[in-house]
Amino acid sequence: MKSRELIACIALVHGLTCGWGHALAQGFNKRYDTIGQSLAQEGYSIEPSGENFLVLGNTELITVDSFYYNPIVCTLLIDQEGVVLVSDTSYYEWHALFPGTWNSMAPRGNGGFVAGGGTFSEPEVHRPALWIIDASGTITLLAEYGDSSLFNAGRQAIECKNGDFLLVGETESAGTPDASLIRTDSTGAALWSRMYGDEHQDRAFYVDTTADDGFFMSGQYGYAPDGPYGRKWVIRVDAMGDTVWQRIWGGEFGNEGARLTTKTNGNPLICGETTLVENGDQFCYMAELEASDGDLIWERHYGDMGLEMTLLIAKEVSPGEGHVAVGVLYDTQQGDYNGILFRTADNGDSLWMRTFVYQDSLMSNGQGSLNDVVPTLDGGFIACGTAYNELGTPYPPGYSQDIWIVKVDSLGCIEPGCNIPMGITTQITNLKGALALSPNPVASGGEVSLQVTLPESLRKEALRLCIVSAEGKLIAEQSLSSRSTAITFQTSGLANGLYHLHLISGGTWVAGAKLIIE
């Protein structure tokens, strides 16, 4: 049909200006089976490696040369477009290997990385471990630590300012888990270890440097199966691991934990979850503490009733420019999980929050969690995590739980301009082919045919087509039938240049495409 209404809309909305930030190329949303055996995999940590990105993850039992291996640590080096450049795996005979937790890998001064995690061997022997990873993703198991007769776990590692390493985790040497901190030299030889906590279960997940030679450590304090709830916990220690101060807060109505990074101003940035009423929903949480004594500078709660949400890591974008965070949203009504990408101002005020799921022609209503994020050189963000199948259904043939990577622009958009149409809450991934334009480029004043190809699961609600200029202005918006497969429209009235088209189903961004008029 001729979409005269679409062109008529131009006169109504032309000139509506919205903040855009950086103008970026289209992002990507991909899932990766690094081993190629359709086995369950998770993405734990992502860091820049030159102009590329290195992802740390793990995969379950695999087969190599007819031998079976327990879960292993793996890496994936990708370029700016998400193309795999190099992948590597680390095997350890008769042992299972695990990355520690989200953001468990940290950059080193030499351009490589250090990662914390653990090893497991029968009978029930867990030990914390350090991995050294070079800039191309090659993994070397440096060392294991702890009494082999006890449960010990490594969660995250960093390089100290003098080249030593610090490994945080927990140990059961006192009967219940206590937080542990191990400092090694640059070869991995242990220099000292410390334990922190009370008679209940205490866990440490994150560690970072302070402005001096000390460290911040965060986790969960004082959990017991029959009460009390776990509470947020941050400790500042000196270079020898002795406590300078600690802050314990929250947890009155539900289990909570603290995850930290250090800002340029030296203060710890905290994220996690909070429960505001007894047996209530969990909300995203973020706070900044005073480095000298742990006092709260600000704290914020984010989210909606009926949704349980947690932030798994938050990082400063650049000095004074606020923070970016990732996490997971659980819909208590629908029972499914979405990945969260969240942006705040420097004082914690919310700027935008996007949720993501994975869907393509074979995978309907996928689920996922975003576990780590870093800024990109073009002003956007790239996050890694784990993509799951549709709730209550098996994986399609050839699919499995996979490493999931999402790259967006400075406003959290896969296709620039997703923030302009109102009411967008979720972005579905890997459906770029759902919107095809011909011809493209098109001559000024010419006619464009738009082909819509959607799975049946996305044809339950009416569709919206929006055209956004490269400067971030909504140019036109048109309602379409859910059964629409093709429309044709004239470009008269549109100036030469680049435009972004967005296809929306209900509150979900489905697909986008670029249109060039010349």
Side-chain angles (χ1 to χ4, degrees):
M1 67 176 181
K2 293 281 187 180
S3 185
R4 296 181 183 274
E5 296 87 354
L6 183 62
I7 300 304
C9 285
I10 296 174
L12 297 177
V13 299
H14 192 273
L16 175 63
T17 303
C18 298
W20 190 280
H22 297 80
L24 302 178
Q26 182 168 304
F28 63 79
N29 293 263
K30 299 182 180 182
R31 56 194 303 153
Y32 299 82
D33 181 350
T34 57
I35 307 301
Q37 298 183 10
S38 297
L39 299 172
Q41 297 171 86
E42 294 185 86
Y44 278 73
S45 187
I46 187 167
E47 292 288 344
S49 183
E51 294 184 353
N52 303 312
F53 302 97
L54 184 67
V55 177
L56 175 70
N58 81 327
T59 185
E60 63 178 14
L61 185 73
I62 67 170
T63 306
V64 179
D65 298 329
S66 300
F67 289 96
Y68 290 98
Y69 288 84
N70 287 307
I72 61 169
V73 171
C74 60
T75 57
L76 196 65
L77 186 70
I78 62 172
D79 66 14
Q80 295 280 340
E81 303 300 321
V83 176
V84 177
L85 303 176
V86 179
S87 63
D88 192 33
T89 52
S90 178
Y91 306 102
Y92 187 2
E93 188 175 17
W94 308 116
H95 287 72
L97 307 179
F98 301 95
T101 189
W102 324 130
N103 194 41
S104 55
M105 177 175 63
R108 300 181 61 197
N110 65 3
F113 305 90
V114 61
T119 66
F120 170 79
S121 62
E122 297 291 349
E124 299 297 320
V125 176
H126 295 256
R127 303 181 72 184
L130 278 177
W131 281 270
I132 297 298
I133 306 169
D134 68 21
S136 69
T138 302
I139 311 167
T140 302
L141 177 62
L142 182 62
E144 299 172 276
Y145 306 93
D147 189 327
S148 61
S149 66
L150 301 169
F151 173 86
N152 295 272
R155 300 299 181 186
Q156 184 198 31
I158 61 170
E159 185 177 57
C160 304
K161 294 175 181 177
N162 69 343
D164 290 352
F165 298 120
L166 204 66
L167 177 62
V168 68
E170 61 253 18
T171 177
E172 285 190 351
S173 60
T176 59
D178 284 316
S180 68
L181 197 59
I182 301 170
R183 183 164 185 165
T184 80
D185 64 19
S186 60
T187 69
L191 300 175
W192 52 255
S193 63
R194 299 284 187 274
M195 294 192 307
Y196 311 84
D198 69 356
E199 71 275 12
H200 299 300
Q201 297 181 21
D202 309 296
R203 306 180 189 278
F205 301 132
Y206 295 87
V207 66
D208 207 350
T209 56
T210 61
D212 56 19
D213 291 328
F215 309 96
F216 297 119
M217 181 172 65
S218 74
Q220 185 181 75
Y221 183 88
Y223 167 80
D226 55 353
Y229 293 121
R231 308 177 69 190
K232 299 182 186 74
W233 186 27
V234 176
I235 307 174
R236 178 170 180 165
V237 301
D238 63 20
M240 294 303 297
D242 294 329
T243 300
V244 177
W245 57 255
Q246 66 175 346
R247 182 178 183 87
I248 303 165
W249 76 108
E252 291 85 0
F253 305 116
N255 283 314
E256 301 175 7
R259 304 161 181 94
L260 72 78
T261 54
T262 303
K263 298 181 61 168
T264 308
N265 63 12
N267 291 335
L269 176 67
I270 310 300
C271 75
E273 64 286 310
T274 187
T275 309
L276 301 179
V277 296
E278 186 73 34
N279 299 319
D281 296 320
Q282 284 192 320
F283 297 87
C284 292
Y285 177 88
M286 195 179 293
E288 182 175 345
L289 304 185
E290 172 58 51
S292 62
D293 56 14
D295 283 352
L296 273 171
I297 297 174
W298 54 260
E299 65 176 341
R300 301 283 189 272
H301 311 95
Y302 317 90
D304 298 318
M305 297 296 293
L307 302 175
E308 293 188 359
M309 309 169 71
T310 187
L311 298 178
L312 299 175
I313 193 68
K315 297 176 179 178
E316 185 178 45
V317 175
S318 58
E321 295 300 317
H323 322 106
V324 63
V326 288
V328 60
L329 175 154
Y330 174 69
D331 189 325
T332 56
Q333 301 299 317
Q334 302 296 324
D336 56 2
Y337 293 87
N338 291 184
I340 297 172
L341 185 60
F342 183 42
R343 182 79 161 83
T344 78
D346 200 50
N347 65 351
D349 288 349
S350 175
L351 297 178
W352 49 258
M353 180 181 287
R354 313 274 183 234
T355 57
F356 297 82
V357 294
Y358 183 90
Q359 182 162 320
D360 59 22
S361 59
L362 296 178
M363 174 69 72
S364 297
N365 302 321
Q367 304 181 86
S369 170
L370 293 177
N371 302 331
D372 195 14
V373 64
V374 290
T376 56
L377 294 175
D378 56 12
F381 306 99
I382 185 168
C384 76
T386 309
Y388 307 104
N389 60 325
E390 181 180 358
L391 182 68
T393 64
Y395 285 97
Y399 280 63
S400 62
Q401 175 183 308
D402 292 325
I403 292 174
W404 184 27
I405 303 177
V406 177
K407 184 174 183 287
V408 299
D409 69 8
S410 61
L411 293 170
C413 296
I414 300 168
E415 177 76 34
C418 78
N419 59 301
I420 305 301
M422 299 300 292
I424 302 301
T425 57
T426 300
Q427 295 183 65
I428 286 178
T429 64
N430 209 34
L431 281 174
K432 294 178 184 176
L435 200 58
L437 307 177
S438 180
N440 190 17
V442 62
S444 178
E447 186 176 81
V448 177
S449 295
L450 188 151
Q451 186 73 33
V452 179
T453 306
L454 290 178
E456 283 299 316
S457 61
L458 288 176
R459 293 191 175 275
K460 298 175 182 178
E461 298 188 60
L463 303 173
R464 284 191 292 157
L465 177 68
C466 297
I467 300 179
V468 176
S469 72
E471 293 75 31
K473 296 178 180 179
L474 179 62
I475 301 300
E477 181 170 345
Q478 173 65 38
S479 295
L480 307 176
S481 165
S482 63
R483 311 312 300 178
S484 294
T485 58
I487 65 171
T488 302
F489 63 88
Q490 301 288 333
T491 61
S492 56
L494 296 178
N496 290 0
L498 171 67
Y499 296 85
H500 301 278
L501 275 63
H502 301 274
L503 189 64
I504 299 147
S505 174
T508 298
W509 182 93
V510 174
K514 293 180 175 66
L515 172 65
I516 298 175
I517 301 176
E518 59 183 19

